[in-house]
mmCIF file of all heavy atoms in Angstrom:
data_model
loop_
_atom_site.group_PDB
_atom_site.id
_atom_site.type_symbol
_atom_site.label_atom_id
_atom_site.label_comp_id
_atom_site.label_asym_id
_atom_site.label_seq_id
_atom_site.Cartn_x
_atom_site.Cartn_y
_atom_site.Cartn_z
ATOM 1 N N MET A 1 -11.119 3.023 -9.006
ATOM 2 C CA MET A 1 -10.538 3.844 -7.960
ATOM 3 C C MET A 1 -11.505 4.630 -7.200
ATOM 4 O O MET A 1 -11.222 5.740 -6.672
ATOM 5 C CB MET A 1 -9.611 4.765 -8.633
ATOM 6 C CG MET A 1 -8.517 4.113 -9.466
ATOM 7 S SD MET A 1 -6.946 5.004 -9.840
ATOM 8 C CE MET A 1 -7.600 6.592 -10.379
ATOM 9 N N ASP A 2 -12.715 4.089 -6.979
ATOM 10 C CA ASP A 2 -13.806 4.795 -6.210
ATOM 11 C C ASP A 2 -13.849 4.209 -4.738
ATOM 12 O O ASP A 2 -14.226 3.166 -4.541
ATOM 13 C CB ASP A 2 -15.076 4.465 -6.905
ATOM 14 C CG ASP A 2 -16.283 5.314 -6.172
ATOM 15 O OD1 ASP A 2 -16.270 5.549 -4.980
ATOM 16 O OD2 ASP A 2 -17.168 5.731 -6.967
ATOM 17 N N MET A 3 -13.214 5.035 -3.891
ATOM 18 C CA MET A 3 -13.106 4.450 -2.548
ATOM 19 C C MET A 3 -14.359 4.415 -1.654
ATOM 20 O O MET A 3 -14.494 3.524 -0.839
ATOM 21 C CB MET A 3 -11.975 5.281 -1.720
ATOM 22 C CG MET A 3 -10.651 5.375 -2.319
ATOM 23 S SD MET A 3 -9.868 3.649 -2.258
ATOM 24 C CE MET A 3 -10.215 3.141 -3.978
ATOM 25 N N GLN A 4 -15.360 5.229 -2.068
ATOM 26 C CA GLN A 4 -16.701 5.039 -1.432
ATOM 27 C C GLN A 4 -17.241 3.765 -1.776
ATOM 28 O O GLN A 4 -17.947 3.089 -1.007
ATOM 29 C CB GLN A 4 -17.580 6.310 -1.824
ATOM 30 C CG GLN A 4 -17.166 7.608 -1.144
ATOM 31 C CD GLN A 4 -18.094 8.773 -1.365
ATOM 32 O OE1 GLN A 4 -18.736 8.731 -2.437
ATOM 33 N NE2 GLN A 4 -18.249 9.659 -0.610
ATOM 34 N N ASP A 5 -17.142 3.445 -3.111
ATOM 35 C CA ASP A 5 -17.783 2.118 -3.635
ATOM 36 C C ASP A 5 -16.974 0.978 -2.952
ATOM 37 O O ASP A 5 -17.728 0.025 -2.614
ATOM 38 C CB ASP A 5 -17.817 2.196 -5.134
ATOM 39 C CG ASP A 5 -18.711 1.085 -5.650
ATOM 40 O OD1 ASP A 5 -19.729 0.819 -5.145
ATOM 41 O OD2 ASP A 5 -18.223 0.321 -6.672
ATOM 42 N N LEU A 6 -15.701 1.100 -2.847
ATOM 43 C CA LEU A 6 -14.920 -0.042 -2.430
ATOM 44 C C LEU A 6 -15.317 -0.185 -0.891
ATOM 45 O O LEU A 6 -15.540 -1.470 -0.484
ATOM 46 C CB LEU A 6 -13.419 0.295 -2.434
ATOM 47 C CG LEU A 6 -12.539 -0.653 -1.647
ATOM 48 C CD1 LEU A 6 -12.708 -2.149 -2.191
ATOM 49 C CD2 LEU A 6 -11.002 -0.359 -1.872
ATOM 50 N N GLU A 7 -15.414 0.914 -0.058
ATOM 51 C CA GLU A 7 -15.889 0.677 1.337
ATOM 52 C C GLU A 7 -17.275 0.099 1.435
ATOM 53 O O GLU A 7 -17.501 -0.744 2.286
ATOM 54 C CB GLU A 7 -15.866 2.132 2.016
ATOM 55 C CG GLU A 7 -16.165 2.049 3.447
ATOM 56 C CD GLU A 7 -15.949 3.242 4.298
ATOM 57 O OE1 GLU A 7 -15.779 4.340 3.593
ATOM 58 O OE2 GLU A 7 -15.780 3.168 5.619
ATOM 59 N N ALA A 8 -18.158 0.539 0.545
ATOM 60 C CA ALA A 8 -19.558 -0.142 0.539
ATOM 61 C C ALA A 8 -19.392 -1.579 0.221
ATOM 62 O O ALA A 8 -20.048 -2.408 1.001
ATOM 63 C CB ALA A 8 -20.408 0.544 -0.435
ATOM 64 N N LYS A 9 -18.543 -1.929 -0.562
ATOM 65 C CA LYS A 9 -18.442 -3.391 -1.089
ATOM 66 C C LYS A 9 -17.680 -4.213 0.093
ATOM 67 O O LYS A 9 -18.023 -5.347 0.512
ATOM 68 C CB LYS A 9 -17.580 -3.498 -2.333
ATOM 69 C CG LYS A 9 -18.166 -3.067 -3.566
ATOM 70 C CD LYS A 9 -19.470 -3.733 -3.881
ATOM 71 C CE LYS A 9 -19.877 -3.417 -5.321
ATOM 72 N NZ LYS A 9 -20.141 -1.961 -5.592
ATOM 73 N N LEU A 10 -16.720 -3.486 0.780
ATOM 74 C CA LEU A 10 -16.084 -4.070 2.044
ATOM 75 C C LEU A 10 -17.115 -4.342 3.143
ATOM 76 O O LEU A 10 -16.944 -5.416 3.844
ATOM 77 C CB LEU A 10 -14.959 -3.229 2.451
ATOM 78 C CG LEU A 10 -13.617 -3.443 1.633
ATOM 79 C CD1 LEU A 10 -12.645 -2.283 2.014
ATOM 80 C CD2 LEU A 10 -12.965 -4.681 1.939
ATOM 81 N N LYS A 11 -17.935 -3.399 3.322
ATOM 82 C CA LYS A 11 -18.908 -3.660 4.335
ATOM 83 C C LYS A 11 -19.815 -4.721 4.103
ATOM 84 O O LYS A 11 -20.212 -5.643 5.033
ATOM 85 C CB LYS A 11 -19.873 -2.331 4.503
ATOM 86 C CG LYS A 11 -19.165 -1.056 5.142
ATOM 87 C CD LYS A 11 -20.059 0.123 5.154
ATOM 88 C CE LYS A 11 -19.477 1.269 5.823
ATOM 89 N NZ LYS A 11 -20.239 2.492 5.833
ATOM 90 N N GLU A 12 -20.244 -4.955 2.790
ATOM 91 C CA GLU A 12 -21.184 -5.954 2.389
ATOM 92 C C GLU A 12 -20.379 -7.271 2.492
ATOM 93 O O GLU A 12 -21.086 -8.337 2.707
ATOM 94 C CB GLU A 12 -21.604 -5.753 0.919
ATOM 95 C CG GLU A 12 -22.599 -6.770 0.437
ATOM 96 C CD GLU A 12 -22.928 -6.477 -0.963
ATOM 97 O OE1 GLU A 12 -22.649 -5.281 -1.528
ATOM 98 O OE2 GLU A 12 -23.687 -7.335 -1.747
ATOM 99 N N ALA A 13 -19.085 -7.245 2.354
ATOM 100 C CA ALA A 13 -18.328 -8.467 2.286
ATOM 101 C C ALA A 13 -17.846 -9.032 3.664
ATOM 102 O O ALA A 13 -17.184 -10.029 3.815
ATOM 103 C CB ALA A 13 -17.097 -8.375 1.351
ATOM 104 N N GLN A 14 -18.285 -8.281 4.670
ATOM 105 C CA GLN A 14 -17.840 -8.627 6.087
ATOM 106 C C GLN A 14 -18.381 -10.019 6.586
ATOM 107 O O GLN A 14 -17.716 -10.665 7.419
ATOM 108 C CB GLN A 14 -18.275 -7.533 7.023
ATOM 109 C CG GLN A 14 -17.513 -6.251 7.085
ATOM 110 C CD GLN A 14 -16.082 -6.390 7.336
ATOM 111 O OE1 GLN A 14 -15.694 -6.743 8.364
ATOM 112 N NE2 GLN A 14 -15.229 -6.104 6.342
ATOM 113 N N LYS A 15 -19.356 -10.505 5.877
ATOM 114 C CA LYS A 15 -19.953 -11.762 6.194
ATOM 115 C C LYS A 15 -19.101 -12.987 5.745
ATOM 116 O O LYS A 15 -19.201 -14.115 6.215
ATOM 117 C CB LYS A 15 -21.373 -11.914 5.592
ATOM 118 C CG LYS A 15 -21.377 -11.828 4.024
ATOM 119 C CD LYS A 15 -22.634 -11.620 3.499
ATOM 120 C CE LYS A 15 -22.653 -11.425 2.085
ATOM 121 N NZ LYS A 15 -23.990 -11.111 1.412
ATOM 122 N N HIS A 16 -18.088 -12.660 5.014
ATOM 123 C CA HIS A 16 -17.105 -13.829 4.600
ATOM 124 C C HIS A 16 -15.997 -13.893 5.424
ATOM 125 O O HIS A 16 -15.532 -13.013 6.037
ATOM 126 C CB HIS A 16 -16.812 -13.481 3.121
ATOM 127 C CG HIS A 16 -17.886 -13.328 2.029
ATOM 128 N ND1 HIS A 16 -18.790 -14.324 1.816
ATOM 129 C CD2 HIS A 16 -18.424 -12.169 1.377
ATOM 130 C CE1 HIS A 16 -19.829 -13.803 0.943
ATOM 131 N NE2 HIS A 16 -19.471 -12.622 0.724
ATOM 132 N N ARG A 17 -15.348 -15.142 5.357
ATOM 133 C CA ARG A 17 -14.230 -15.415 6.156
ATOM 134 C C ARG A 17 -12.936 -14.587 5.939
ATOM 135 O O ARG A 17 -12.377 -14.049 6.838
ATOM 136 C CB ARG A 17 -13.861 -16.967 5.933
ATOM 137 C CG ARG A 17 -12.711 -17.519 6.815
ATOM 138 C CD ARG A 17 -12.374 -18.839 6.306
ATOM 139 N NE ARG A 17 -11.568 -18.849 5.121
ATOM 140 C CZ ARG A 17 -10.347 -19.040 4.882
ATOM 141 N NH1 ARG A 17 -9.557 -19.345 5.963
ATOM 142 N NH2 ARG A 17 -9.801 -19.099 3.669
ATOM 143 N N LEU A 18 -12.607 -14.332 4.734
ATOM 144 C CA LEU A 18 -11.475 -13.567 4.302
ATOM 145 C C LEU A 18 -11.825 -12.641 3.086
ATOM 146 O O LEU A 18 -12.544 -13.061 2.253
ATOM 147 C CB LEU A 18 -10.346 -14.492 3.982
ATOM 148 C CG LEU A 18 -8.972 -13.930 3.598
ATOM 149 C CD1 LEU A 18 -7.850 -14.971 3.980
ATOM 150 C CD2 LEU A 18 -8.872 -13.639 2.042
ATOM 151 N N ARG A 19 -11.147 -11.410 3.250
ATOM 152 C CA ARG A 19 -11.524 -10.537 2.121
ATOM 153 C C ARG A 19 -10.129 -10.094 1.444
ATOM 154 O O ARG A 19 -9.339 -9.679 2.218
ATOM 155 C CB ARG A 19 -12.170 -9.193 2.714
ATOM 156 C CG ARG A 19 -13.655 -9.542 3.110
ATOM 157 C CD ARG A 19 -14.079 -8.663 4.206
ATOM 158 N NE ARG A 19 -13.294 -8.728 5.385
ATOM 159 C CZ ARG A 19 -13.512 -9.797 6.325
ATOM 160 N NH1 ARG A 19 -14.313 -10.754 6.087
ATOM 161 N NH2 ARG A 19 -12.709 -9.826 7.370
ATOM 162 N N LEU A 20 -10.185 -10.127 0.078
ATOM 163 C CA LEU A 20 -9.016 -9.692 -0.599
ATOM 164 C C LEU A 20 -9.245 -8.499 -1.581
ATOM 165 O O LEU A 20 -10.119 -8.737 -2.387
ATOM 166 C CB LEU A 20 -8.306 -10.877 -1.353
ATOM 167 C CG LEU A 20 -7.102 -10.639 -2.213
ATOM 168 C CD1 LEU A 20 -5.917 -10.226 -1.407
ATOM 169 C CD2 LEU A 20 -6.753 -11.843 -3.084
ATOM 170 N N VAL A 21 -8.670 -7.393 -1.455
ATOM 171 C CA VAL A 21 -8.861 -6.381 -2.395
ATOM 172 C C VAL A 21 -7.794 -6.501 -3.481
ATOM 173 O O VAL A 21 -6.639 -6.402 -3.152
ATOM 174 C CB VAL A 21 -8.637 -4.878 -1.756
ATOM 175 C CG1 VAL A 21 -8.879 -3.793 -2.693
ATOM 176 C CG2 VAL A 21 -9.737 -4.765 -0.615
ATOM 177 N N ALA A 22 -8.141 -6.454 -4.760
ATOM 178 C CA ALA A 22 -7.195 -6.686 -5.896
ATOM 179 C C ALA A 22 -7.267 -5.533 -6.836
ATOM 180 O O ALA A 22 -8.381 -5.035 -7.209
ATOM 181 C CB ALA A 22 -7.493 -7.960 -6.620
ATOM 182 N N THR A 23 -6.173 -4.903 -6.985
ATOM 183 C CA THR A 23 -5.990 -3.788 -7.990
ATOM 184 C C THR A 23 -4.730 -3.731 -8.763
ATOM 185 O O THR A 23 -3.698 -4.267 -8.295
ATOM 186 C CB THR A 23 -6.078 -2.512 -7.182
ATOM 187 O OG1 THR A 23 -6.057 -1.381 -8.061
ATOM 188 C CG2 THR A 23 -4.992 -2.366 -6.104
ATOM 189 N N ASP A 24 -4.639 -3.168 -9.900
ATOM 190 C CA ASP A 24 -3.446 -2.751 -10.647
ATOM 191 C C ASP A 24 -2.768 -1.706 -9.858
ATOM 192 O O ASP A 24 -3.574 -0.928 -9.247
ATOM 193 C CB ASP A 24 -3.759 -2.272 -11.967
ATOM 194 C CG ASP A 24 -3.893 -3.422 -12.980
ATOM 195 O OD1 ASP A 24 -4.081 -4.589 -12.666
ATOM 196 O OD2 ASP A 24 -3.982 -3.100 -14.249
ATOM 197 N N GLY A 25 -1.543 -1.727 -9.706
ATOM 198 C CA GLY A 25 -0.854 -0.445 -9.143
ATOM 199 C C GLY A 25 -0.880 0.642 -10.130
ATOM 200 O O GLY A 25 -1.327 1.751 -9.688
ATOM 201 N N ALA A 26 -0.381 0.447 -11.314
ATOM 202 C CA ALA A 26 -0.428 1.343 -12.515
ATOM 203 C C ALA A 26 -1.330 0.744 -13.414
ATOM 204 O O ALA A 26 -1.120 -0.350 -13.924
ATOM 205 C CB ALA A 26 0.894 1.730 -12.922
ATOM 206 N N PHE A 27 -2.522 1.537 -13.936
ATOM 207 C CA PHE A 27 -3.281 0.950 -14.954
ATOM 208 C C PHE A 27 -2.799 1.340 -16.225
ATOM 209 O O PHE A 27 -2.863 2.491 -16.639
ATOM 210 C CB PHE A 27 -4.762 1.611 -14.721
ATOM 211 C CG PHE A 27 -5.538 1.067 -13.329
ATOM 212 C CD1 PHE A 27 -5.167 1.547 -12.184
ATOM 213 C CD2 PHE A 27 -6.300 -0.132 -13.589
ATOM 214 C CE1 PHE A 27 -5.818 1.143 -11.049
ATOM 215 C CE2 PHE A 27 -6.990 -0.505 -12.396
ATOM 216 C CZ PHE A 27 -6.653 0.020 -11.184
ATOM 217 N N SER A 28 -2.316 0.307 -17.057
ATOM 218 C CA SER A 28 -1.689 0.662 -18.227
ATOM 219 C C SER A 28 -2.464 1.329 -19.348
ATOM 220 O O SER A 28 -1.909 2.087 -20.135
ATOM 221 C CB SER A 28 -1.215 -0.709 -18.854
ATOM 222 O OG SER A 28 -2.178 -1.545 -19.039
ATOM 223 N N MET A 29 -3.783 1.122 -19.478
ATOM 224 C CA MET A 29 -4.529 1.553 -20.518
ATOM 225 C C MET A 29 -4.926 3.070 -20.281
ATOM 226 O O MET A 29 -5.323 3.750 -21.118
ATOM 227 C CB MET A 29 -5.804 0.780 -20.752
ATOM 228 C CG MET A 29 -5.573 -0.623 -21.076
ATOM 229 S SD MET A 29 -4.444 -0.846 -22.557
ATOM 230 C CE MET A 29 -5.542 -0.296 -23.847
ATOM 231 N N ASP A 30 -5.005 3.447 -18.949
ATOM 232 C CA ASP A 30 -5.421 4.743 -18.642
ATOM 233 C C ASP A 30 -4.364 5.751 -17.991
ATOM 234 O O ASP A 30 -4.457 6.875 -17.956
ATOM 235 C CB ASP A 30 -6.655 4.682 -17.612
ATOM 236 C CG ASP A 30 -7.777 3.993 -18.254
ATOM 237 O OD1 ASP A 30 -8.598 4.505 -18.805
ATOM 238 O OD2 ASP A 30 -7.807 2.670 -17.896
ATOM 239 N N GLY A 31 -3.269 4.955 -17.627
ATOM 240 C CA GLY A 31 -2.174 5.816 -16.935
ATOM 241 C C GLY A 31 -2.503 6.205 -15.476
ATOM 242 O O GLY A 31 -1.772 6.914 -14.906
ATOM 243 N N ASP A 32 -3.519 5.606 -14.946
ATOM 244 C CA ASP A 32 -3.830 5.964 -13.573
ATOM 245 C C ASP A 32 -3.049 5.179 -12.504
ATOM 246 O O ASP A 32 -2.639 4.106 -12.683
ATOM 247 C CB ASP A 32 -5.324 5.530 -13.265
ATOM 248 C CG ASP A 32 -6.439 6.421 -14.133
ATOM 249 O OD1 ASP A 32 -6.088 7.463 -14.469
ATOM 250 O OD2 ASP A 32 -7.531 5.663 -14.385
ATOM 251 N N ILE A 33 -2.764 5.931 -11.398
ATOM 252 C CA ILE A 33 -2.112 5.138 -10.217
ATOM 253 C C ILE A 33 -3.132 4.813 -9.102
ATOM 254 O O ILE A 33 -3.868 5.794 -8.732
ATOM 255 C CB ILE A 33 -1.020 6.043 -9.693
ATOM 256 C CG1 ILE A 33 -0.019 6.453 -10.691
ATOM 257 C CG2 ILE A 33 -0.238 5.392 -8.515
ATOM 258 C CD1 ILE A 33 0.832 5.196 -11.391
ATOM 259 N N ALA A 34 -3.223 3.634 -8.778
ATOM 260 C CA ALA A 34 -4.168 3.313 -7.805
ATOM 261 C C ALA A 34 -3.898 4.094 -6.451
ATOM 262 O O ALA A 34 -2.862 4.249 -6.026
ATOM 263 C CB ALA A 34 -4.013 1.780 -7.440
ATOM 264 N N PRO A 35 -5.074 4.501 -5.818
ATOM 265 C CA PRO A 35 -4.876 5.079 -4.468
ATOM 266 C C PRO A 35 -4.682 4.195 -3.337
ATOM 267 O O PRO A 35 -5.444 3.986 -2.548
ATOM 268 C CB PRO A 35 -6.264 5.853 -4.345
ATOM 269 C CG PRO A 35 -7.249 4.929 -5.045
ATOM 270 C CD PRO A 35 -6.334 4.317 -6.289
ATOM 271 N N LEU A 36 -3.364 3.684 -3.384
ATOM 272 C CA LEU A 36 -2.973 2.620 -2.534
ATOM 273 C C LEU A 36 -3.034 3.021 -0.972
ATOM 274 O O LEU A 36 -3.361 2.094 -0.134
ATOM 275 C CB LEU A 36 -1.623 2.012 -2.770
ATOM 276 C CG LEU A 36 -1.478 1.198 -4.100
ATOM 277 C CD1 LEU A 36 -0.111 0.679 -4.304
ATOM 278 C CD2 LEU A 36 -2.472 -0.082 -3.990
ATOM 279 N N ARG A 37 -2.848 4.293 -0.689
ATOM 280 C CA ARG A 37 -2.876 4.739 0.764
ATOM 281 C C ARG A 37 -4.255 4.549 1.275
ATOM 282 O O ARG A 37 -4.552 3.966 2.404
ATOM 283 C CB ARG A 37 -2.484 6.191 0.887
ATOM 284 C CG ARG A 37 -1.022 6.466 0.727
ATOM 285 C CD ARG A 37 -0.715 7.820 1.211
ATOM 286 N NE ARG A 37 0.608 8.211 0.787
ATOM 287 C CZ ARG A 37 0.945 9.156 -0.240
ATOM 288 N NH1 ARG A 37 -0.020 9.535 -0.989
ATOM 289 N NH2 ARG A 37 2.214 9.385 -0.589
ATOM 290 N N GLU A 38 -5.309 4.986 0.397
ATOM 291 C CA GLU A 38 -6.673 4.876 0.788
ATOM 292 C C GLU A 38 -7.130 3.556 0.901
ATOM 293 O O GLU A 38 -7.869 2.983 1.697
ATOM 294 C CB GLU A 38 -7.509 5.731 -0.141
ATOM 295 C CG GLU A 38 -7.290 7.162 0.041
ATOM 296 C CD GLU A 38 -6.021 7.787 -0.691
ATOM 297 O OE1 GLU A 38 -5.412 6.862 -1.335
ATOM 298 O OE2 GLU A 38 -5.922 8.923 -0.704
ATOM 299 N N ILE A 39 -6.680 2.722 -0.141
ATOM 300 C CA ILE A 39 -7.034 1.175 -0.233
ATOM 301 C C ILE A 39 -6.532 0.548 1.043
ATOM 302 O O ILE A 39 -7.245 -0.302 1.620
ATOM 303 C CB ILE A 39 -6.478 0.632 -1.480
ATOM 304 C CG1 ILE A 39 -7.378 1.078 -2.691
ATOM 305 C CG2 ILE A 39 -6.643 -0.963 -1.365
ATOM 306 C CD1 ILE A 39 -6.672 0.695 -4.046
ATOM 307 N N CYS A 40 -5.388 0.820 1.394
ATOM 308 C CA CYS A 40 -4.750 0.156 2.557
ATOM 309 C C CYS A 40 -5.347 0.585 3.813
ATOM 310 O O CYS A 40 -5.593 -0.269 4.844
ATOM 311 C CB CYS A 40 -3.245 0.447 2.615
ATOM 312 S SG CYS A 40 -2.242 -0.485 1.373
#
């Protein structure tokens, strides 16, 4: 759920044809809710 790290990885992945971000919506082991607004 680290959006700074995700953004860094997205910048690095710009060289690829298509990019897909994959996440659990609700993480069952921790009870966290993914920050979907920021991810989107």
